[in-house]
Amino acid sequence: FTAALICLFLIIVETEGCKVDIDCGEMHVCSAGECKHKTLFPLHWRDILATILFVLVSGIANVGGVGGGPIFSSLIIFIQDYDITQAINISYVLVFAGVLSNFILIVRMRHPRTGLPYINYNLSSLILPTLLSGTVIGTFLNQVLPDLVILIVLIILLAVVFKRSLDTGRRLRRKEKLNPDQKDSIEAPEPEQEQQAIPSSTEANPVRIVQTTDEVCIVTEEQKAAAVRDEHEEDKPISDRAKTSGAGPDLAKNAIYAIVEAQEKSILPRNRVFPILGLTLLILLITLLKGNKRMHSIIGIERYSIFYFLCDLVTVIISLFVFWYLRRAIMKFFELEQQVGFKLPFKIQLTGRKINRLGIYGFVAGILVSLVGIGGGLIMSPLLIEIGMPSDFAAKTSSYAILFPSFLSVFIAFFSGTLETAVIAWYLPIVAIGVYIIASILNFFLRKYHRLSFIVFLICGVVFIALVTVPLYTVLSFIKGPASKIYSFKSLNK
């Protein structure tokens, strides 16, 4: 209904250009008979108000497990009077700043019972390759699609975020009422899955007995120390690392168990992080080689020629290859975990079909990250929860996964000439530092009072306001300017 109303207004209304700045309003200037948004500096009081709101909303959203992208776009349109494309480009910076601060806060957080990091690097590695390739496609679509299409997608996503946040808040509130004295909001592992460590009294060679549902594995401290040393040789297959110890079948199994446990408990394991870092750097290099508005191609590729688009195709092909490589390695790792009886604090039934779904959803999330400026948690968190991951793990894992494509979106938008240097220089440090402080304070009160539902309902209220005001405000803003701009495809050569 909202989209139909917008189309009706825009078809009926078409106004003339401007003659002086006053014809364009306080946030625009008249340039060659056309109203254009002013540069960020000098700051207007609306810019300062928006910056304060960005910090508050981003801090609340990241604590609540939502990136805040659609909310940012709505605030930018409503307060700073940018059009939808400009708003999304600015939201890239805001999402990246918030996700970066949140990552610094959560990267060393571990489950209180098992000691496992909340970020599951195995599953995030299955998502990231296609997520990054989708980011490249989404950034291009953002530069060519009509504003009306992007606006409709934004409104739909705001509605989905509102519904999901409302359902989550109600569920958390019911849980808080049932467990008013709950000391930890983290979902505990099921009793049959939880691992229990029983220290031995042997002094010469201490032994750790790890009890699982299927069997008892004995892991000596020497094997544990060897596993930690082997963690620095992560590129070697786990089975090969166990064989080099010269142990018998049982001891080799125990050594593999210790190595698997060390891998799962590792913070930023190199054999999972390095392939993603390498792919990100390779995409950045291809972006620079094919040229953009700020810098011509160093190998002579003309903008928007067949070779220009072939570079994007190469990016997608390389991303699929990295996905296949990590898929193969992680499936072998999961099989090894089952062989030695290692249990995660949650059940994940991974099949080839579910892994492929992770890849497809990652690609879609990557497109939406750049097309509409969403954080990506809107898509990835529900999928991770669906395959068996608790909500706390899912929110933090998806937040880590979105760090790379959000940075990529900022980089591509900047070198494409659609993002001002001043915008990055102003918003990135202020929002990053502000989010870190606010998220730290909110996390402290959440640990003390255990009322995560309050944060979620607060997010819900902000999203509802955006859902109501953005369509109406956008209609009014285009009444003042040329209506054809919102439903026309953008020119790539501008």
Side-chain angles (χ1 to χ4, degrees), residues 24 44 196 218 319 323 349 399 404 413 420 458 468 473:
C24 301
H44 190 272
Q196 300 175 350
I218 301 177
S319 300
F323 172 75
Q349 301 294 334
S399 179
F404 295 92
E420 298 178 14
L458 193 58
V468 173
Y473 188 80

Side-chain angles (χ1 to χ4, degrees), residues 38-54:
K38 76 175 192 68
T39 57
L40 181 62
F41 294 105
L43 291 173
H44 190 272
W45 69 266
R46 288 193 181 190
D47 298 320
I48 297 174
L49 174 62
T51 303
I52 296 172
L53 291 177
F54 293 156

Side-chain angles (χ1 to χ4, degrees), residues 17-31 33-36 81 480:
C18 61
K19 294 181 179 179
V20 292
D21 289 350
I22 197 172
D23 295 336
C24 301
E26 58 183 349
M27 298 300 291
H28 290 75
V29 295
C30 185
S31 176
E34 182 181 353
C35 291
K36 295 184 178 180
D81 204 9
K480 298 183 296 182

